[in-house]
């Protein structure tokens, strides 16, 4: 069993949890993920590791309560335990040797972009962070990002906070004026697709952190496959980070919606139960 | 053996074969000729003393029969159900030369089930010798290895990546062939022998093989299973509605997606095309049938070459699965939204034998046609998982990435042994068990000299 030692609401639908998992904490690196189940009948859900404390033996996850499984996880309180948590899975984000990086986060993806930005800072790289949200009430982790970034940009789609528009606007301006070793994009598929399109003309290496549907997370089921440069890759063992210029984002977006009807129904059932 | 009638069973997930009654078992056991040469025993990968246990069944000494079987096989209720007996013990049965061989598998199953029904007392764990062995993977190879070592007094810990133990026995083989309670029961029996099972532990990630050694495990057995599902590399293969058999079966078997209140979804298709001809293809086809689909199995060779067990193919046909032999897929057709709508196929004929000794399918000119399908399931075997290799320095692997071992099951690393599909590629439950059992003997030998 894995005990929830801390639970915090970052905004209306985004929750941060610190969970006791000493063996996972001992090995975890930025960019890796865990697969967990919130209860004995629950779905196996992949969540990227948002932080870890090797001494306390805990890892941190940040998730949005969008489907039945995350609603169920979000209903668990501090001191309670979840039955299953396996990891750290996937390959760590490769950051060694980078001198100047733009870290682009979108929505809840910012929670996963943050440890990447922090680690780059520790490695001595110049970090430019660009984070985007739909609207002001959804903004998360602003202070944390400011603290670990050399420069910081924030956008909202509706202009209610920061710059109006999406992350591609400040990113585009930066690309016109300076060069980066790498751009790392973590967020919704559509955002990562547009970031890839924005950086491509400049030939800047761009990495996207993919979060497809998974079951086992160890390569056995092939559910998380995606096309990268015309080859089929498994996000769980080969990724989750891939060269964003080679990813077939349209296919990934379609595949992410395979079970959307089921998920909608489950969410309604779950919400009715809570009512 | 009594079975659920096809029209009933193709709508449920409960076991197809119902098992012998006491009377049927005794009368079947009486058919054994007790030949001096005992050819059946030679056909068993784990060497069960078959005529001995059958004699005890004929005498209605069922518990004694159980003891004879479990001296050689730790998972009799599993083997009695999923072993390809027709290619092993029963193939050599003298009775089979004129008529039906003795139903050895069915008798094994009867004995194991009766033992469980009787709630017979659990075996007392043997005295431990204080030496620790780690077993990686809780599938048939790992369980067999763990059980053998535990019986020899070793302190065994099994590490499993998923949230339940059993490996392919729980995620791969459907409940209508092997009820999951039976797997749980066999696992519990190993635990009663003193085997410790740690779930959610991915070796190569949560712990490395080096970590296990550092933690005090004197030997390690790698039984990590077959690995990554193969795909064909044809157009449209990543469309919505195309799945590996592993994914489809895992959703249904491990995650119970067939239950109406399951939290895990499974694609509910109208017309399913299953590509492949092995046991996994049959499992996927029969599962899709139970989920209410019209199902066609597409196989590029002829019925003669079908690698699936004859019984599985027959069961599939009885349940209404249609077979299109001598047919090879060329592309998955999709609609504007990326949903699979059909499988473009070409007819084949058999040419000269290939490297595998089977006749190679050759495409026939102008024979393309389209099979309507909103779901395509690829059951094409697997390739080794790179996860262990990447994290284990010095672990020698073959061309395809399979773990290399000597005849004793020892890998290139001292004290690290391997067996089952991780070494051989996709094979059967009993072959994996045999490999696990042999590795246990090698580990015992290795540790005794240290």
């Amino acid at each position: 069993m894995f005990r929830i030692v801390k639970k915090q609401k970052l905004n209306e639908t985004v929750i941060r949890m610190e969970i006791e998992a000493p063996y996972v904490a001992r090995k975890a690196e930025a960019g890796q993920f865990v697969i967990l189940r919130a209860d004995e009948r629950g779905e196996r859900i992949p969540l990227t590791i948002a932080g870890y404390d090797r001494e306390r033996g805990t890892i941190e996850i940040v998730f949005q309560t969008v489907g039945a499984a995350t609603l169920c996880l979000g209903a668990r309180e501090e001191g309670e335990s979840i039955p299953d948590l396996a990891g750290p899975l996937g390959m760590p984000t490769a950051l060694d040797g980078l001198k100047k990086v733009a870290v682009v986060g979108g929505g809840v993806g910012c929670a996963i972009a943050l440890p990447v930005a922090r680690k780059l800072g520790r490695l001595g790289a110049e970090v430019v962070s660009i984070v985007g949200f739909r609207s002001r009430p959804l903004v998360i982790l602003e202070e944390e990002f400011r603290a670990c970034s050399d420069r910081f940009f924030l956008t909202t789609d509706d202009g209610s906070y920061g710059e109006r528009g999406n992350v591609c606007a400040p990113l585009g301006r930066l690309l016109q004026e300076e060069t980066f070793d790498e751009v790392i994009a973590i967020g919704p598929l559509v955002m990562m697709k547009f970031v890839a399109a924005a950086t491509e003309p400049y030939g800047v290496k761009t990495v996207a952190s993919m979060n497809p549907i998974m079951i086992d997370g160890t390569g056995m089921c092939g559910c998380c496959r995606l096309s990268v440069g015309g080859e089929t890759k498994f996000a769980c063992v080969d990724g989750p980070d891939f060269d964003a210029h080679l990813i077939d984002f349209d296919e990934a977006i379609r595949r992410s919606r395979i079970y959307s009807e089921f998920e909608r129904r489950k969410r309604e059932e779950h919400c009715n139960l809570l009512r | 053996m009594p079975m659920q009638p096809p029209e009933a069973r193709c709508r449920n997930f409960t076991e197809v074969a119902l098992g012998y009654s006491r009377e049927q078992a005794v009368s079947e056991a009486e058919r054994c000729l007790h030949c001096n040469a005992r050819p059946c025993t030679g056909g068993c990968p784990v060497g069960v003393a078959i005529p001995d246990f059958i004699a005890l069944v004929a005498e209605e000494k069922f518990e004694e029969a159980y003891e004879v079987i479990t001296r050689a096989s730790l998972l009799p209720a599993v083997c009695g159900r999923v072993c390809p007996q027709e290619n092993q013990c029963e193939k050599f049965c003298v009775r089979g030369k004129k008529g039906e061989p003795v139903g050895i598998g069915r008798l094994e199953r009867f004995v194991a089930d009766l033992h469980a029904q009787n709630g017979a007392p659990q075996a007392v764990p043997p005295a431990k010798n204080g030496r620790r062995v780690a077993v990686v993977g809780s599938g048939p190879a790992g369980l067999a290895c763990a059980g053998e070592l535990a019986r020899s007094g070793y302190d065994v810990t099994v590490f499993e990546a998923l949230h339940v133990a059993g490996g392919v026995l729980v995620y791969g083989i459907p409940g209508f062939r092997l009820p999951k309670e039976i797997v749980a029961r066999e696992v519990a029996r190993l635990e009663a022998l003193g085997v410790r099972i740690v779930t959610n532990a991915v070796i190569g990630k949560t712990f490395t093989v080096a970590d296990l050694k550092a933690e005090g495990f004197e030997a390690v057995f790698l039984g990590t299973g077959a690995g990554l599902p193969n795909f064909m590399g044809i157009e449209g293969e990543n469309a919505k509605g195309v799945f590996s058999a592993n994914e489809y079966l895992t959703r249904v078997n491990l995650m119970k997606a067939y239950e109406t209140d399951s939290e895990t979804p499974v694609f509910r298709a109208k017309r399913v095309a299953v590509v492949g001809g092995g046991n996994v293809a049959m499992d996927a086809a029969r599962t899709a049938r139970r989920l209410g689909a019209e199902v066609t199995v597409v196989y590029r060779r002829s019925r003669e070459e079908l690698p699936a067990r004859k019984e599985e193919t027959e069961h599939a046909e009885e349940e209404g699965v249609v077979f299109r032999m001598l047919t090879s897929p060329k592309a998955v057709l999709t609609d504007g939204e990326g949903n699979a709508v059909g499988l473009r196929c070409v007819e084949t004929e058999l040419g000269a034998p290939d490297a595998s000794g089977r006749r190679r399918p050759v495409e026939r000119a102008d024979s393309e046609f389209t099979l309507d399908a909103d779901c395509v399931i690829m059951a094409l075997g697997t390739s080794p998982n790179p996860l262990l290799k990447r994290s284990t320095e010095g672990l020698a692997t073959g061309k395809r990435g399979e773990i290399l071992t000597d005849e004793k099951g020892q890998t290139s690393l001292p004290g690290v042994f391997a067996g089952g599909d991780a070494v051989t590629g996709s094979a059967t439950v009993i072959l994996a068990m045999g490999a696990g059992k042999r590795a246990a003997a090698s580990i015992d030998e290795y540790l005794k000299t240290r």
Side-chain angles (χ1 to χ4, degrees), chain B residues 40 42-46 50 75-93 101-106 108 140 169 173 177-178 278-280 283 306-313 421 426-434:
Chain B
C40 50
C44 175
V46 296
I50 293 165
L75 309 172
V78 174
C79 293
R81 287 174 166 81
V82 303
C83 264
Q85 288 99 5
E86 68 279 12
N87 295 324
Q88 299 174 358
C89 51
E90 292 176 18
K91 181 177 172 182
F92 300 101
C93 178
V102 175
I104 300 168
R106 295 165 177 192
E108 180 183 28
L169 305 175
I173 301 175
R177 280 217 289 140
L178 178 63
N279 287 322
V280 175
D283 286 344
L306 263 185
R309 288 183 72 187
K310 197 162 150 267
E311 185 181 287
E312 302 308 323
T313 316
D421 284 4
S426 308
T428 61
V429 167
I430 190 69
L431 287 175
M433 280 181 58

Side-chain angles (χ1 to χ4, degrees), chain A residues 15-70:
Chain A
I15 294 170
R16 170 154 67 188
M17 273 181 184
E18 188 182 349
I19 300 178
E20 228 167 51
Y23 295 115
V24 181
R26 208 162 65 178
K27 287 282 162 69
E29 295 291 346
Q32 291 188 296
F33 64 94
V34 294
I35 290 209
L36 59 79
R37 295 201 310 154
D39 65 55
E40 287 297 345
R41 285 191 52 82
E43 201 180 356
R44 292 173 63 90
I45 47 172
L47 288 170
T48 307
I49 297 168
Y52 50 84
D53 187 327
R54 302 209 204 280
E55 270 165 29
R56 281 164 61 87
T58 59
I59 60 149
E60 205 178 277
I61 50 168
V62 175
F63 58 95
Q64 192 164 17
T65 49
V66 280
T70 43

Side-chain angles (χ1 to χ4, degrees), chain B residues 55-374:
Chain B
L56 290 164
V57 174
E59 292 169 35
E60 303 197 29
K61 293 180 178 164
F62 303 118
E63 268 310 302
E64 288 90 330
Y66 181 78
E67 272 168 40
V68 169
I69 299 172
T70 49
R71 251 178 252 153
S73 168
L74 279 153
L75 309 172
V78 174
C79 293
R81 287 174 166 81
V82 303
C83 264
Q85 288 99 5
E86 68 279 12
N87 295 324
Q88 299 174 358
C89 51
E90 292 176 18
K91 181 177 172 182
F92 300 101
C93 178
V94 174
R95 277 277 188 193
K97 288 186 180 151
K98 282 189 208 162
E100 283 286 304
V102 175
I104 300 168
R106 295 165 177 192
L107 287 169
E108 180 183 28
R109 167 192 164 140
F110 169 79
V111 168
D113 287 357
L114 191 69
H115 172 83
Q117 271 170 33
N118 290 344
Q122 296 282 9
V124 187
K128 286 195 178 173
N129 63 17
R131 309 190 72 174
R132 298 170 71 210
V133 180
V135 169
V136 181
S138 66
L143 292 180
C145 184
E148 291 294 332
L149 287 168
R151 284 211 289 216
S152 310
Y154 289 95
D155 185 348
V156 184
T157 304
V158 178
F159 295 92
E160 166 56 47
L162 292 173
H163 58 270
V164 281
V168 72
L169 305 175
V170 293
Y171 75 73
I173 301 175
F176 55 81
R177 280 217 289 140
L178 178 63
K180 300 309 145 216
E181 311 79 69
I182 287 173
V183 182
R185 199 170 75 202
E186 301 283 35
V187 170
R189 238 163 32 80
L190 291 186
E191 287 180 304
L193 277 175
V195 173
R196 189 168 156 245
I197 294 182
V198 180
T199 53
N200 297 309
V202 186
I203 305 305
K205 290 291 182 188
T206 319
F207 307 98
T208 62
V209 172
D211 291 338
L212 297 177
K213 288 287 194 75
E215 293 275 333
F217 291 101
E218 294 184 67
V220 179
F221 174 74
L222 306 174
T224 48
L228 281 56
N230 292 336
F231 288 92
M232 296 186 77
I234 58 175
E235 200 187 316
E237 209 168 17
N238 291 344
K240 284 197 276 182
V242 184
F243 305 94
S244 77
N246 274 7
E247 175 184 351
Y248 193 75
L249 290 170
T250 300
R251 287 181 178 279
V252 175
N253 300 334
L254 176 73
M255 305 310 295
K256 310 255 176 292
Y258 63 89
E259 291 175 357
T260 44
D261 61 345
S262 170
E263 295 293 331
T264 298
V266 64
F267 196 82
R268 301 279 178 159
K270 289 191 183 67
R271 273 181 290 272
V272 174
V274 177
V275 182
N279 287 322
V280 175
M282 297 309 130
D283 286 344
R286 297 173 68 195
T287 297
R289 196 76 190 107
R290 282 162 174 76
L291 292 173
E294 297 294 321
V295 183
T296 306
V297 170
V298 174
Y299 180 57
R300 62 201 186 121
R301 291 187 168 94
S302 72
R303 184 169 289 264
E304 297 281 293
E305 288 83 16
L306 263 185
R309 288 183 72 187
K310 197 162 150 267
E311 185 181 287
E312 302 308 323
T313 316
E314 285 169 4
H315 281 169
E317 271 183 322
E318 288 165 11
E319 289 162 14
V321 172
V322 176
F323 286 78
R324 278 214 70 133
M325 305 295 176
L326 293 168
T327 300
S328 182
K330 300 292 281 179
V332 177
L333 307 180
T334 54
D335 65 11
E337 282 155 8
N339 300 300
V341 292
L343 188 63
R344 191 79 186 143
C345 298
V346 63
E347 291 177 10
T348 61
E349 53 197 21
L350 294 179
D354 63 11
S356 71
R358 294 178 299 176
R359 294 178 66 194
R360 185 195 303 273
V362 181
E363 290 182 8
R364 291 181 50 210
D366 303 321
S367 66
E368 282 205 14
F369 68 98
T370 299
L371 204 63
D372 284 344
D374 53 347

Side-chain angles (χ1 to χ4, degrees), chain A residues 210-254:
Chain A
M210 303 299 278
N211 188 13
I213 305 172
M214 290 187 186
I215 310 178
D216 67 301
T218 62
M220 184 270 285
C221 81
C223 175
C224 67
R225 68 190 188 278
L226 65 165
S227 298
V228 181
E231 268 183 77
T232 293
K233 296 280 186 189
F234 288 9
C236 66
V237 291
D238 302 319
D241 293 351
F242 293 98
D243 183 336
H245 295 146
L246 299 178
I247 296 169
D248 184 340
F249 279 106
D250 292 335
E251 179 188 279
I253 290 167
R254 285 196 297 271

Side-chain angles (χ1 to χ4, degrees), chain A residues 98-119:
Chain A
L98 298 176
K99 298 272 181 293
K100 186 176 172 187
V101 181
V103 177
V104 185
V108 69
C110 290
I112 298 142
L114 180 64
V116 172
R118 277 183 177 152
K119 189 170 172 186

